[in-house]
Amino acid sequence: MITATRKPMDELRAILAPFRRILIVGCGTCVAECAAGGEKEVALLASQLRMDAKLRGKDLEVGEATVDRQCVYELIDELTSLVGMYDVVLSMACGAGVQAVQETFPQAIVMPALDTAFLGESKGQGLWVENCKGCGHCRLYLFGGICPIARCAKGLFNGPCGGSRDGRCEVDESVPCAWAQIVEALERRGQLELLEDIYPPCDWSLVRGRGPRRIQREDQRI
Amino acid sequence: MSHLQRILESGQFAVTAECGPPKGADPETVENKGRLLSGYVDAVNVTDNQTAVVRLSSLASCVILRGMGLEPILQMTTRDRNRIALQSDLLGASSLGIRNVLCLTGDHVCFGNEPHALGVFDLDSVQLLKVAREMRDEGRLCGGDRLESCPRFFIGAVENPFADPMRFRVRRLAKKVKAGAQFIQTQCVFNLKRFASWMEQIRAEDLDQRVYILAGITPLKSARMAEYMKEKVPGMDVPEELVQRMKKVSSRNQRAEGIRIALETIEALKEIPGVKGIHIMAIEWEEAVKEIVEEARLLPRPPVAG
């Protein structure tokens, strides 16, 4: 899932200062799962903004809507009748959603309410961790199912570095050393010899070689 | 040819030391440190923005030291430069007569004075070693393009015998040797027992026959420093006994005690088969190097040829 956190109130207040009618739009998939921008968070933010406006004596109209995914045109379309009624759309989607909504309604002003973070996993109650960088070439099969790009602080392919101590990373003791985990996982699988080869430098062109990436599949076109 | 390489190949016990460039543009600091080391060591490592703190560049400092007749070892981390910049700097260093390069990954940017910087890590230390070796031996760049002429380097790497996972460290060192490392400088040795057991594993894999191992020595300046290194410095293994030993001495005599510990460590290291030299990292205390080398009866150092 794509994780995100909501922007602090001060920043939102500054972004929204010029507007009187605000439509908050939630996104029902990733950011709902990480409790940052789903229907519940839309309602919460709406009442916070109303309360804040009242305290400041500002006349504010706040509308609420949530679509399943703000990154899919057919679903964004549900907002068509609403958008024109407001001065600004405050999107509670990830950056991809914000941009897709803006592109769908070029006349509207669409603002982000979230700071998009990473591709992650729900690790426990209130904890999300990054474990994929979307590098374009998955090699988890070589590293015991643990991604060195996402989970090693230095993204080393031939780790561990000298800062691995008691299975912890020198950068943050609360973070496990990904390379200690890789070595342990491969040992368990009897595949430690996989680490004897020098892993070659990564092909970063797969990530940002020619600007924004796209996937184009002829078989999916109508 | 590298002076350090010549010494190691001739079987002499090598002595190297470290010089940290200043946080400023003044060459005098480097020159002063160079003067303190001149005649007492075979080569001088110049750190590359150590602990991710911006300092006078390693390459420039190496050139200053070389101008004084010292043999520099260019430290190169992969933290700040991508493969284009690293390879370009390797060519540049060779063109300026730098004959030793030490390839490291480098400390994470979060420890330094530009914690908001992008940590590049386009390559890691093992990959940089291989790139340097292939540039030298095959005249080939990482991406496959041919060089018009090859750089000349004696190539080194670092290893921390005290880091985890312990059972994998030796295998990783083997990987560095396979990649191109000809000499290894280790993290400071305080825990001799653990170092000796690491050397045992090195010998069991015959790695001591394939790479020159220089053991790291850091004289402790004070009990506080010993404690700080034990508690706060990542990858450092300072046994509690050493901290206690430093604490027992009056603060006026702690520097002398630190030197004594360094000397005892050197004597013990000389007895460990496979240790081919020492690398003294006297952090902002270059004056200590002379005393240590003298007291350890490691003088005179062989003269630099040419």
Side-chain angles (χ1 to χ4, degrees):
Chain A
M1 129 196 63
I2 296 163
T3 61
T5 54
R6 210 198 73 194
K7 285 183 180 293
M9 202 55 185
D10 284 349
E11 192 180 352
L12 286 177
R13 207 181 280 128
I15 289 174
L16 298 172
F19 309 106
R20 200 188 66 76
R21 293 172 303 170
I22 299 166
L23 175 63
I24 307 179
V25 181
C27 186
T29 308
C30 309
V31 292
E33 171 60 31
C34 66
E39 201 168 3
K40 243 168 48 192
E41 290 73 33
V42 169
L44 190 67
L45 179 58
S47 49
Q48 276 178 299
L49 287 176
R50 283 185 202 113
M51 226 182 312
D52 190 66
K54 209 168 183 181
L55 284 172
R56 287 160 186 269
K58 187 181 168 181
D59 175 26
L60 196 72
E61 184 189 331
V62 182
E64 299 171 42
T66 298
V67 297
D68 266 357
R69 281 189 286 282
Q70 288 187 31
C71 55
V72 178
Y73 175 76
E74 285 77 7
L75 302 173
I76 300 172
D77 210 26
E78 294 169 15
L79 300 170
T80 305
S81 59
L82 283 173
V83 168
M85 296 158 63
Y86 292 88
D87 302 332
V88 66
V89 175
L90 184 63
S91 163
M92 295 194 83
C94 71
V98 176
Q99 293 179 69
V101 172
Q102 179 67 81
E103 209 168 314
T104 309
F105 304 110
Q107 304 305 322
I109 297 173
V110 183
M111 297 289 194
L114 304 186
D115 291 317
T116 307
F118 49 79
L119 294 185
E121 175 196 340
S122 301
K123 196 79 185 167
Q125 221 43 35
L127 176 65
W128 293 271
V129 294
E130 178 173 31
N131 46 22
C132 178
K133 286 274 193 203
C135 73
H137 179 202
C138 189
R139 286 148 285 183
L140 280 169
Y141 55 90
L142 290 174
F143 300 106
I146 291 144
C147 178
I149 307 180
R151 292 167 70 175
C152 165
K154 295 176 183 171
L156 303 184
F157 281 105
N158 297 282
C161 77
S164 177
R165 193 74 181 271
D166 301 326
R168 301 273 124 192
C169 175
E170 67 175 14
V171 168
D172 182 345
E173 278 215 343
S174 70
V175 174
C177 166
W179 270 96
Q181 293 178 306
I182 291 170
V183 169
E184 196 186 316
L186 289 176
E187 228 169 13
R188 206 166 46 230
R189 296 176 179 197
Q191 287 185 309
L192 208 53
E193 75 284 351
L194 279 175
L195 298 183
E196 271 166 29
D197 292 329
I198 294 162
Y199 195 87
C202 189
D203 179 359
W204 297 116
S205 74
L206 295 172
V207 186
R208 47 186 175 186
R210 304 211 178 233
R213 292 180 275 182
R214 58 183 193 170
I215 299 168
Q216 192 164 353
R217 282 178 50 182
E218 291 308 319
D219 63 320
Q220 293 295 306
R221 291 167 82 98
I222 302 164
Chain B
M1 185 186 185
S2 150
H3 175 60
L4 177 64
Q5 182 175 11
R6 200 179 298 119
I7 286 174
L8 286 165
E9 285 180 357
S10 72
Q12 297 173 83
F13 196 80
V15 180
T16 59
E18 192 164 284
C19 164
K23 233 189 281 182
D26 192 348
E28 270 170 28
T29 316
V30 179
E31 288 164 358
N32 289 341
K33 289 186 178 189
R35 266 191 289 277
L36 290 170
L37 300 172
S38 185
Y40 299 103
V41 296
D42 304 316
V44 179
N45 283 56
V46 184
T47 50
D48 179 10
N49 300 303
Q50 196 171 15
T51 61
V53 169
V54 177
R55 290 175 183 280
L56 201 153
S57 81
S58 176
L59 180 52
S61 307
C62 281
V63 171
I64 294 170
L65 292 175
R66 189 171 178 275
M68 301 172 66
L70 282 146
E71 163 104 342
I73 300 174
L74 175 72
Q75 293 201 180
M76 262 195 156
T77 71
T78 64
R79 178 192 57 228
D80 311 319
R81 285 162 290 180
N82 70 6
R83 66 193 80 176
I84 298 173
L86 287 168
Q87 293 180 106
S88 167
D89 281 352
L90 281 170
L91 296 175
S94 182
S95 79
L96 290 165
I98 313 295
R99 290 289 167 261
N100 309 286
V101 61
L102 188 83
C103 304
L104 313 91
T105 300
D107 297 312
H108 197 277
V109 292
C110 71
F111 296 115
N113 61 356
E114 293 289 357
H116 298 161
L118 173 70
V120 177
F121 303 117
D122 178 24
L123 304 179
D124 60 32
S125 58
V126 178
Q127 290 162 345
L128 179 60
L129 285 164
K130 187 161 182 279
V131 165
R133 174 175 58 80
E134 288 175 352
M135 285 173 76
R136 181 193 64 193
D137 296 347
E138 295 164 30
R140 196 162 54 82
L141 291 171
C142 181
D145 200 7
R146 311 295 308 179
L147 287 169
E148 288 158 24
S149 62
C150 301
R152 290 158 55 199
F153 285 119
F154 186 43
I155 301 172
V158 294
E159 177 52 30
N160 183 359
F162 313 105
D164 289 322
M166 181 90 177
R167 60 194 180 285
F168 188 68
R169 303 283 347 160
V170 173
R171 282 203 195 208
R172 179 147 186 273
L173 184 76
K175 213 163 153 173
K176 287 191 171 180
V177 174
K178 189 160 125 186
Q182 296 167 286
F183 69 98
I184 299 289
Q185 290 172 321
T186 77
Q187 177 66 285
C188 331
V189 180
F190 294 108
N191 187 339
L192 265 165
K193 209 171 138 196
R194 192 157 171 187
F195 182 79
S197 102
W198 176 77
M199 278 305 299
E200 214 169 280
Q201 294 176 57
I202 293 286
R203 289 193 304 272
E205 301 286 330
D206 274 337
L207 281 169
D208 60 317
Q209 304 301 312
R210 292 162 56 205
V211 70
Y212 300 107
I213 292 170
L214 312 186
I217 292 286
T218 290
L220 294 166
K221 271 187 201 169
S222 62
R224 225 186 53 189
M225 176 187 179
E227 218 159 23
Y228 179 80
M229 286 179 104
K230 178 179 158 56
E231 304 296 338
K232 300 268 186 257
V233 182
M236 200 68 76
D237 183 350
V238 184
E240 182 56 30
E241 307 93 84
L242 277 192
V243 178
Q244 290 309 323
R245 181 171 161 187
M246 289 296 287
K247 275 186 175 168
K248 274 191 197 127
V249 179
S250 67
S251 48
R252 196 160 46 92
N253 292 321
Q254 285 181 352
R255 285 189 174 219
E257 191 66 12
I259 296 221
R260 244 190 309 277
I261 293 170
L263 289 169
E264 290 167 20
T265 309
I266 293 169
E267 286 314 308
L269 288 169
K270 280 184 188 165
E271 300 304 316
I272 299 177
V275 176
K276 302 290 165 54
I278 51 167
H279 173 54
I280 308 171
M281 292 165 273
I283 305 155
E284 296 304 317
W285 188 20
E286 283 76 9
E287 295 85 349
V289 174
K290 169 177 184 277
E291 194 178 339
I292 292 171
V293 177
E294 261 170 7
E295 297 285 324
R297 297 173 322 288
L298 291 166
L299 290 178
R301 302 310 309 159
V304 180

